[in-house]
Amino acid sequence: MKNIKLAVGVLSLACFAAMNAATHELQSPDGNISIKFSDDSLKLVYNVDYKGKVFIEPSKLGLKLQGADVLGQNVQITDAELSQGVDSYTLLHGRSGKVDDAYNALTLEMQENSLTERKLVVEARAYNDAVAFRYIVPEQTHLTDYNLVEECTEFCLAKDATAYALVLPNYKSGYESEYHKLPVSALANQGGVASHYLVGMPVLLDMPGVGWGAIIETDLEGNAATYLTNPTGSWMGHKFTTIVSPSRSRSEVAVASTLPHHSPWRVIMLADEPGRFGETNVVTSLNPECRVADTSWISAGLSSWDWWNGSLNKAGEVAYTTETMKYYVDFAAENGFKYMTIDAGWCGEDITKCRDNVNVPEVVAYAKSKGVKVFIWLYSRFVWNQMDEAFPLYEKWGVAGLKIDFIERNDQAGIDWYYRVAKKAAEHHLMVDYHGCTNPWGLQRTYPNVVGYEAILGMEQSKAGGRDNPDNRVALAFTRMIPGLMDYTPGGFDNVTPEEFEPNMVTRPQVMGTRAQHLALYVVYDSPFQMVSDWPEAYKNDRSFDFIKEVPARWDETRVLNGTPDTHITVARRNGNDWWLGAITGWEPTSFKLPLDFLGEGSYTAVIYRDTKESGDQPKQYEVKEMKVTSRSTLNIDMARG
């Protein structure tokens, strides 16, 4: 395939002095996004424009440190430095293989107008699809430690945008819920009654007449995760402020550190279409470089898995045993999957010892003889206690990776634990898949052995009720997929209509949505560690399983071709010279013509797995068609309900 060369726009930065304040403007390389900072009335504020229209109105910035006023609300900008750069690096897994992101940058130094003269630095970057900023508290005479009580960052929206918001119950959460569609003002007021909700990031925003936006954070090292809330209590209020995840061991201070200290990056993505946020690499670009010297042992791939289907053996009996795990190893080997995952039940509180039912070293040795590698499930609390002892042992056993579950915390100690696990696992050649966790923030660039995060209302919910459904899956592709690495666990083959659907916690759960949709999820969702979740016998003698056997888990390029969170999505991903295309719709049937202009030169053979006219009422029905196409061809996409 031929290379494409791109020219990046010239540096466009402006600084100017207002009558009573210093204002500094930073523009993206293409000039479409602008962020301005000002010390107007000694208050540090910023605002963001997209294509000449206001997206974020003047909004306060600042840090509330223990025992002092807000640092940022009585300051003057003393120096400003402009620069530009390119984030150029490779990703082992994700939506791109090679990243080259140009940006313009601005560093502002400021000093407090007080006797202590505390100093603060704000570092900002502008990409063609996002702006980002973070706080840096430098070493200084009148401040010896960093003890953060509250971050005072505002996002004052120019309009009452429609939000797709992950509303969470409290700070102990696995981020496994729907993204609710509602105006931002509804997050602060219920029919005249003041209220507020805890919103996990990212939050997707539709601001008609201006564009689409998303607010997210990256590079959490040394910090706690942050939530958003609308504090106004008013039906006219449409803004967010930040809430730092509180410490479980300190009563007032959320983040404690030495100086210098930097906060996470606050990222505001902007585009004409929400699909652009599924293509951007800004989340990984704003994280530190790879710290794993030898990455040759890290590889994307599909995995057989015993848990979702009830640990059924070949005879269809529930049997959580060594022999059953070997059966799933055989299934992986026969179909070319790199991995097999042993889920919960093989160990107790001591994670260095196997129970009598499953002998992990025996299964791992058997898998090695078949060319398959093994992941093992672990309870996070036991990992906290035994990481140093257990990880070297797993390396000795030959385990390939760890699925660590029920983390459910993202305070400073919790975020530090994510980093310690990733580092310690890398030292012992172990990959990591976090479950029951907070949303990703780009850690996979720094530690590419991190290959998955759950933090998603995934297919496991079909065992319990109707929350996992086609409408939810489309919304996830525009929301949860923004930071990537989403372990949704696809592969359900007992496809039924909503009228037929009955949840089943024991064995062989049903799934809503057509067979073609459940195949397409392997392309639509970002996941270098994909489950093949159903009972192996469910896939026997079914041609649609050929798609799963052949689909890659690693991609060189990603294009989101169309769609909205309320309707459908079409994603094309390239692996080498081959393109894979996945299209899914919600409960409304969807048809459109799709130009294939993303293809390279020459002729391609398209093998198409698609719904039939009967698939809406008979979801297991599909058809396979082959045709020759080129970049000048157009496909007719006809998707049944679900």
Side-chain angles (χ1 to χ4, degrees):
M1 182 171 291
K2 296 180 179 178
N3 293 326
I4 300 174
K5 296 183 179 180
L6 303 177
V8 179
V10 298
L11 179 66
S12 178
L13 300 167
C15 284
F16 55 90
M19 184 176 297
N20 297 314
T23 300
H24 302 267
E25 180 180 4
L26 177 67
Q27 290 187 351
S28 58
D30 62 8
N32 286 333
I33 303 176
S34 167
I35 183 169
K36 297 176 185 176
F37 296 90
S38 173
D39 58 4
D40 187 21
S41 300
L42 299 180
K43 290 181 172 62
L44 181 63
V45 298
Y46 79 101
N47 61 281
V48 177
D49 294 352
Y50 178 60
K51 292 187 174 179
K53 297 181 179 180
V54 179
F55 192 88
I56 292 183
E57 297 175 333
S59 303
K60 294 178 183 177
L61 297 170
L63 301 171
K64 172 66 175 174
L65 302 180
Q66 189 178 37
D69 295 332
V70 173
L71 178 57
Q73 296 307 296
N74 185 25
V75 296
Q76 286 183 301
I77 297 172
T78 58
D79 193 19
E81 181 179 348
L82 310 171
S83 61
Q84 58 182 328
V86 178
D87 291 320
S88 184
Y89 58 96
T90 58
L91 285 172
L92 285 188
H93 40 255
R95 54 193 59 156
S96 301
K98 182 73 173 68
V99 178
D100 288 292
D101 281 349
Y103 63 86
N104 295 327
L106 171 64
T107 301
L108 297 173
E109 296 182 7
M110 57 206 75
Q111 182 171 299
E112 196 169 37
N113 189 27
S114 68
L115 292 176
T116 57
E117 296 183 332
R118 291 182 300 172
K119 294 177 173 58
L120 177 66
V121 175
V122 171
E123 182 181 359
R125 289 188 184 183
Y127 297 83
N128 285 339
D129 49 18
V131 290
F133 59 86
R134 66 178 178 179
Y135 303 94
I136 301 174
V137 180
E139 291 183 286
Q140 51 196 287
T141 303
H142 298 292
L143 191 61
T144 57
D145 297 300
Y146 181 87
N147 291 295
L148 180 71
V149 175
E150 180 183 0
E151 182 182 318
C152 306
T153 303
E154 293 182 339
F155 302 88
C156 299
L157 303 176
K159 290 185 179 182
D160 192 9
T162 297
Y164 295 80
L166 180 68
V167 179
L168 299 172
N170 50 53
Y171 301 108
K172 183 180 179 181
S173 168
Y175 280 57
E176 298 175 28
S177 191
E178 293 84 356
Y179 284 77
H180 297 280
K181 178 186 178 183
L182 69 176
V184 173
S185 59
L187 293 165
N189 192 274
Q190 294 290 310
V193 179
S195 55
H196 82 98
Y197 297 89
L198 195 65
V199 176
M201 288 194 268
V203 60
L204 179 68
L205 300 165
D206 178 13
M207 191 177 290
V210 180
W212 288 82
I215 302 174
I216 194 169
E217 63 178 351
T218 73
D219 186 12
L220 270 59
E221 189 168 20
N223 291 282
T226 309
Y227 301 84
L228 299 174
T229 192
N230 183 342
T232 63
S234 167
W235 63 1
M236 296 182 292
H238 39 81
K239 75 173 184 179
F240 290 112
T241 58
T242 52
I243 300 178
V244 180
S245 185
S247 169
R248 296 191 183 181
S249 60
R250 297 182 296 265
S251 60
E252 182 183 25
V253 174
V255 176
S257 177
T258 58
L259 299 181
H261 182 87
H262 68 77
S263 75
W265 288 95
R266 307 297 171 214
V267 184
I268 303 158
M269 299 179 179
L270 293 161
D272 291 333
E273 299 175 347
R276 300 290 77 78
F277 307 146
E279 299 172 345
T280 179
N281 289 293
V282 166
V283 171
T284 49
S285 292
L286 289 169
N287 274 269
E289 297 177 350
C290 178
R291 295 174 184 168
V292 182
D294 174 20
T295 60
S296 61
W297 51 276
I298 304 170
S299 181
L302 274 62
S303 176
S304 61
W305 181 37
D306 72 287
W307 181 86
W308 190 79
N309 59 77
S311 300
L312 294 178
N313 63 16
K314 188 171 184 178
E317 303 163 336
V318 176
Y320 188 88
T321 65
T322 298
E323 291 307 309
T324 297
M325 300 308 150
K326 290 180 179 179
Y327 162 63
Y328 284 86
V329 168
D330 290 340
F331 171 62
E334 290 165 5
N335 295 287
F337 303 150
K338 288 186 178 180
Y339 303 109
M340 181 268 160
T341 299
I342 301 174
D343 215 278
W346 68 270
C347 68
E349 187 168 348
D350 187 345
I351 59 175
T352 66
K353 297 178 180 178
C354 300
R355 289 172 170 160
D356 294 336
N357 52 347
V358 173
N359 186 318
V360 170
E362 182 178 335
V363 176
V364 171
Y366 179 79
K368 183 178 180 180
S369 72
K370 298 283 185 174
V372 175
K373 299 179 180 180
V374 175
F375 271 67
I376 57 174
W377 183 97
L378 295 168
Y379 182 38
S380 65
R381 184 163 62 87
F382 302 155
V383 174
W384 276 73
N385 299 332
Q386 290 187 282
M387 186 192 316
D388 292 340
E389 180 184 2
F391 287 10
L393 180 64
Y394 299 153
E395 181 182 28
K396 184 178 179 180
W397 287 355
V399 169
L402 314 173
K403 175 181 175 180
I404 306 177
D405 208 347
F406 298 108
I407 302 166
E408 296 173 348
R409 65 182 296 179
N410 55 16
D411 62 340
Q412 185 182 18
I415 294 300
D416 177 67
W417 178 86
Y418 282 95
Y419 281 89
R420 288 192 293 112
V421 166
K423 182 177 184 293
K424 178 65 68 173
E427 291 171 358
H428 296 284
H429 301 93
L430 296 167
M431 291 176 279
V432 181
D433 179 24
Y434 293 118
H435 270 233
C437 56
T438 192
N439 269 334
W441 60 88
L443 180 60
Q444 66 268 29
R445 180 185 177 188
T446 309
Y447 291 103
N449 57 314
V450 175
V451 295
Y453 285 75
E454 188 180 27
I456 192 170
L457 201 161
M459 196 176 75
E460 67 175 4
Q461 291 286 341
S462 284
K463 293 173 71 97
R467 299 178 72 183
D468 171 42
N469 61 69
D471 282 343
N472 174 64
R473 294 176 199 134
V474 173
L476 289 174
F478 288 96
T479 50
R480 170 60 181 83
M481 198 163 75
I482 292 173
L485 294 193
M486 46 199 299
D487 191 1
Y488 167 87
T489 65
F493 261 37
D494 193 2
N495 313 98
V496 297
T497 65
E499 295 81 8
E500 298 167 326
F501 176 76
E502 293 182 4
N504 180 357
M505 281 295 295
V506 184
T507 64
R508 296 296 322 279
Q510 297 176 334
V511 290
M512 288 181 277
T514 69
R515 175 64 54 78
Q517 176 169 111
H518 283 264
L519 300 180
L521 292 174
Y522 284 89
V523 178
V524 172
Y525 288 168
D526 280 340
S527 182
F529 181 55
Q530 284 276 34
M531 296 296 108
V532 182
S533 301
D534 220 325
W535 184 38
E537 305 307 310
Y539 300 119
K540 292 290 179 66
N541 303 316
D542 192 323
R543 186 180 176 184
S544 66
F545 184 54
D546 290 348
F547 185 93
I548 296 177
K549 289 193 293 184
E550 296 171 9
V551 67
R554 182 198 169 277
W555 307 106
D556 296 305
E557 182 181 356
T558 295
R559 307 274 190 92
V560 180
L561 302 178
N562 58 32
T564 73
D566 305 318
T567 58
H568 69 283
I569 187 170
T570 307
V571 179
R573 301 187 193 270
R574 180 175 61 82
N575 177 283
N577 292 324
D578 296 332
W579 283 90
W580 293 73
L581 188 146
I584 62 172
T585 187
W587 283 127
E588 292 297 321
T590 302
S591 297
F592 53 86
K593 295 184 181 298
L594 183 71
L596 301 182
D597 50 9
F598 56 87
L599 295 176
E601 292 298 320
S603 178
Y604 291 75
T605 299
V607 183
I608 305 169
Y609 296 74
R610 65 184 187 184
D611 293 331
T612 68
K613 293 180 180 179
E614 293 77 31
S615 296
D617 296 319
Q618 301 175 45
K620 291 185 179 68
Q621 294 295 317
Y622 66 91
E623 62 182 8
V624 183
K625 179 180 179 180
E626 294 192 18
M627 58 189 294
K628 294 292 184 181
V629 298
T630 70
S631 60
R632 294 174 292 280
S633 301
T634 299
L635 284 184
N636 293 321
I637 305 293
D638 296 299
M639 291 185 283
R641 65 168 180 160

